[in-house]
Amino acid sequence: QVQLVESGGGLVQPGGSLRLSCAASGSIFSIHAMGWYRQAPGKQRELVATMTSGGITNHADSVTGRFTISRDNARSTVYLQMNSLKPEDTAVYYCNVKAKRYIGSVLRDYWGQGTQVTVSS
């Protein structure tokens, strides 16, 4: 099994900052990419930011310049630093890991339980 434990969500005022963390553990042979997605009420889940094991990042246009993804490979942990938060950033944020559980297995997606981020005055 692969477990993803997220932390760092909460309520923040517009213009504020939050830092999300997601630690992966369990039966993992290799992690290829880690990232964050979000889903607002009534909307589809969307990509926020991803980072490959080689350090290549991809940020959604809506968060570029405000959010930064980083990763600690030794701890199998991914972070999302969110600055200049806006009310439209309000959503449940999900950690995503693309990993192989053992040699020769297929690459699969694993998801965290989600953490609520609310931006409101």
Side-chain angles (χ1 to χ4, degrees), residues 13-77:
Q13 292 187 341
S17 298
L18 283 174
R19 187 190 193 211
L20 305 183
S21 300
C22 172
S25 63
S27 178
I28 301 173
F29 171 68
S30 62
I31 294 176
H32 290 245
M34 303 182 80
W36 294 93
Y37 290 71
R38 67 185 180 187
Q39 187 167 18
K43 295 187 177 181
Q44 290 188 333
R45 189 173 297 188
E46 63 177 5
L47 180 147
V48 177
T50 61
M51 189 172 191
T52 68
S53 58
I56 298 173
T57 62
N58 178 35
H59 293 77
D61 289 344
S62 59
V63 307
T64 296
R66 300 187 299 123
F67 292 10
T68 303
I69 190 170
S70 61
R71 180 171 166 175
D72 184 339
N73 287 334
R75 298 185 178 187
S76 299
T77 300

Side-chain angles (χ1 to χ4, degrees), residues 1-4 24-31 76 97 99-103 105-106 108 110:
Q1 295 289 348
V2 175
Q3 294 84 39
L4 302 179
S25 63
S27 178
I28 301 173
F29 171 68
S30 62
I31 294 176
S76 299
V97 169
K100 292 183 177 183
R101 291 190 59 194
Y102 47 87
I103 297 176
S105 65
V106 298
R108 288 189 57 189
Y110 298 91

